[in-house]
């Protein structure tokens, strides 16, 4: 941190305690964002993992001629009956191991990008927020795509792999590194609109929900009771609702791309079907031709079921950790 920034910061601090968040985050803030992000990632993925397994089962082809489960409950029952509750958690290790660093990078990138693009200015900054979300996603997917491939191959019915290490080794041996990134294009294509929608709905919903009872909050804040528990609780419930809305909406819309991603990631595990391309549209077209329109919306329910609470948990954990690590005053843009 150079002297100018230091001076600017001091000046900012003299004006208002909230303004300090307008200077570009220094090391401590970055680390705090990373820690908060990692905590959010691991919590979110492990808490909601069984639902994710069901989604994979509903989307992935197993042996030829197999009927995909249409209903969440039926799919759930099938897994538990055959493999016990543990079956729902196959591959969870990959996620716990990958989601930490990936989410840390994700949130830290998001905050830095949002800052640089001017997303922290007053008012509702739709574009910078969405763009920052998109940039963060591309970085995050670079980490998560291989993790996701391993995870899904462990999640499919009758998975041929012993576990995380075995699966990774076999993929690298038989299919090469490329196989771990086969779905990268689809993933980015899916997640950029997903994330842009997610972040913008989140920020908008948060602003809208906070507006509703702003008057009395203003009064309370003017007495400088920022540490007031009620404000904090109020904020958490807002984050949870906003996060849930955002996650659910974004998940529903991007389901067809998610089906393509699952197919590419599990290609050749059981079904002999090969798509021969990693381009999204041809794969999508072929799935529709062979299996009908309904197939590309498979797994939408578990996807929403997973993403709404996951987003709520993720935002809740993230913002709470950020408060704990940086103190509520770093949340300048929360208190209007």
């Amino acid at each position: 941190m150079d002297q100018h920034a230091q001076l600017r910061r001091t000046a900012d601090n003299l004006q208002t305690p909230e303004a300090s968040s307008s200077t570009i985050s220094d090391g401590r803030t970055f680390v705090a964002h990373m820690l908060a992000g990692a905590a959010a990632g691991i919590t979110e993925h492990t808490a909601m993992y069984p639902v994710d397994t069901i989604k994979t089962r509903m989307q992935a082809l197993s042996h030829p001629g197999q009927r995909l489960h249409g209903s969440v409950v039926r799919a759930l029952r099938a897994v538990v009956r055959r493999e016990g509750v543990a079956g729902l958690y196959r591959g969870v290790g990959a996620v716990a191991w990958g989601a930490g660093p990936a989410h840390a990078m994700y949130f830290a990138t998001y905050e830095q990008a949002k800052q640089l693009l001017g997303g922290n200015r007053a008012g509702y900054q739709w574009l910078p927020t969405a763009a920052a979300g998109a940039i963060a996603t591309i970085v995050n997917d670079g980490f998560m795509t291989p993790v996701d491939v391993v995870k899904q191959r462990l999640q499919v019915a009758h998975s041929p792999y012993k576990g995380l290490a075995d699966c990774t080794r076999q993929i690298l041996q038989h299919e090469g590194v490329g196989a771990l990134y086969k779905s990268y294009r689809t993933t980015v294509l899916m997640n950029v609109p997903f994330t842009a929608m997610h972040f913008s709905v989140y920020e908008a919903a948060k602003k809208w929900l906070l507006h509703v009872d702003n008057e009395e909050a203003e009064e309370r804040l003017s007495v400088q009771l920022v540490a007031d528990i009620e404000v904090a609780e109020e904020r958490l419930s807002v984050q949870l609702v906003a996060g849930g809305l955002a996650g659910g909406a974004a998940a529903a819309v991007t389901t067809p791309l998610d089906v393509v991603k699952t197919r590419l990631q599990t290609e050749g595990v059981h079904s002999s079907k090969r798509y021969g391309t990693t381009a999204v549209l041809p794969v999508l077209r072929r799935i529709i031709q062979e299996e009908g329109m309904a197939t590309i919306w498979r797994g939408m329910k578990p996807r929403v079921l997973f993403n709404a609470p996951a987003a709520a948990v993720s935002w809740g954990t993230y913002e709470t950790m950020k408060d704990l690590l940086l103190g509520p005053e770093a949340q300048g843009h929360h208190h209007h």
Side-chain angles (χ1 to χ4, degrees):
M1 188 130 185
D2 61 346
Q3 259 180 317
H4 290 295
Q6 199 59 61
L7 284 171
R8 214 174 35 242
R9 194 141 187 187
T10 321
D12 271 345
N13 284 342
L14 291 176
Q15 292 161 5
T16 60
E18 275 94 7
S20 64
S21 68
S22 65
T23 53
I24 287 191
S25 343
D26 53 15
R28 193 175 77 105
T29 326
F30 192 73
V31 171
H33 286 161
M34 288 193 77
L35 285 173
I42 293 170
T43 314
E44 163 196 345
H45 280 287
T46 44
M48 297 305 298
Y49 196 79
V51 183
D52 189 55
T53 299
I54 298 304
K55 191 203 76 182
T56 297
R57 293 288 176 100
M58 286 173 79
Q59 291 176 343
L61 283 177
S62 179
H63 45 83
Q66 170 227 21
R67 287 207 352 277
L68 293 177
H69 291 293
S71 100
V72 177
V73 182
R74 215 172 303 134
L76 187 72
R77 227 179 270 138
V79 178
V80 177
R81 197 174 56 233
R82 269 207 305 270
E83 302 151 63
V85 175
L88 292 171
Y89 281 96
R90 277 208 65 172
V92 72
V95 168
W97 183 83
H103 266 257
M105 284 306 299
Y106 180 66
F107 277 110
T109 310
Y110 170 66
E111 293 285 345
Q112 291 294 71
K114 191 167 118 183
Q115 178 70 54
L116 293 170
L117 295 167
N120 288 341
R121 288 195 302 265
Y124 176 53
Q125 299 289 336
W126 179 79
L127 208 66
T129 304
I135 293 166
T137 301
I138 293 168
V139 172
N140 179 59
D141 289 340
F143 278 85
M144 276 315 268
T145 301
V147 170
D148 206 59
V149 172
V150 173
K151 181 202 78 179
Q152 284 206 312
R153 286 177 174 221
L154 290 169
Q155 281 176 329
V156 293
H158 317 293
S159 170
Y161 308 103
K162 283 198 277 294
L164 214 147
D166 177 52
C167 183
T168 311
R169 203 181 51 247
Q170 283 203 44
I171 294 175
L172 291 175
Q173 254 171 22
H174 304 307
E175 304 170 58
V177 179
L180 291 173
Y181 277 96
K182 213 190 289 183
S183 62
Y184 186 55
R185 247 202 305 186
T186 311
T187 306
V188 169
L189 204 84
M190 170 175 84
N191 281 343
V192 167
F194 176 94
T195 311
M197 188 168 166
H198 186 150
F199 279 109
S200 12
V201 173
Y202 176 68
E203 297 283 343
K206 200 164 71 171
K207 288 209 160 62
W208 179 71
L209 289 161
L210 281 170
H211 250 313
V212 182
D213 40 22
N214 225 357
E215 299 293 276
E216 140 203 36
E218 292 277 74
E219 231 161 85
R220 238 184 293 161
L221 288 174
S222 63
V223 199
Q224 271 309 301
L225 280 176
V226 179
D228 185 352
I229 313 270
E230 283 175 63
V231 174
E233 275 182 1
E234 205 173 285
R235 254 201 357 235
L236 184 61
S237 60
V238 163
Q239 284 153 15
L240 293 177
V241 174
L245 279 172
V253 174
T254 49
T255 302
L257 290 164
D258 193 49
V259 173
V260 171
K261 172 169 150 286
T262 297
R263 293 298 175 86
L264 289 174
Q265 293 188 167
T266 57
E267 192 174 34
V269 176
H270 280 308
S271 165
S272 51
K273 181 166 295 173
R274 294 256 181 237
Y275 290 102
T277 172
T278 58
V280 178
L281 287 172
V283 176
L284 203 56
R285 219 173 285 129
R286 199 172 142 190
I287 295 173
I288 294 172
Q289 267 167 14
E290 293 174 355
E291 306 168 58
M293 249 343 240
T295 309
I296 63 166
W297 295 100
R298 272 293 155 78
M300 179 161 127
K301 257 186 261 166
R303 203 168 142 69
V304 172
L305 268 177
F306 176 93
N307 277 294
V313 168
S314 184
W315 279 113
T317 314
Y318 176 63
E319 304 244 22
T320 307
M321 288 278 292
K322 206 158 82 170
D323 277 0
L324 288 176
L325 294 161
L326 296 172
E329 70 277 359
Q331 298 272 330
H333 48 282
H334 269 316
H335 312 317
H336 303 298

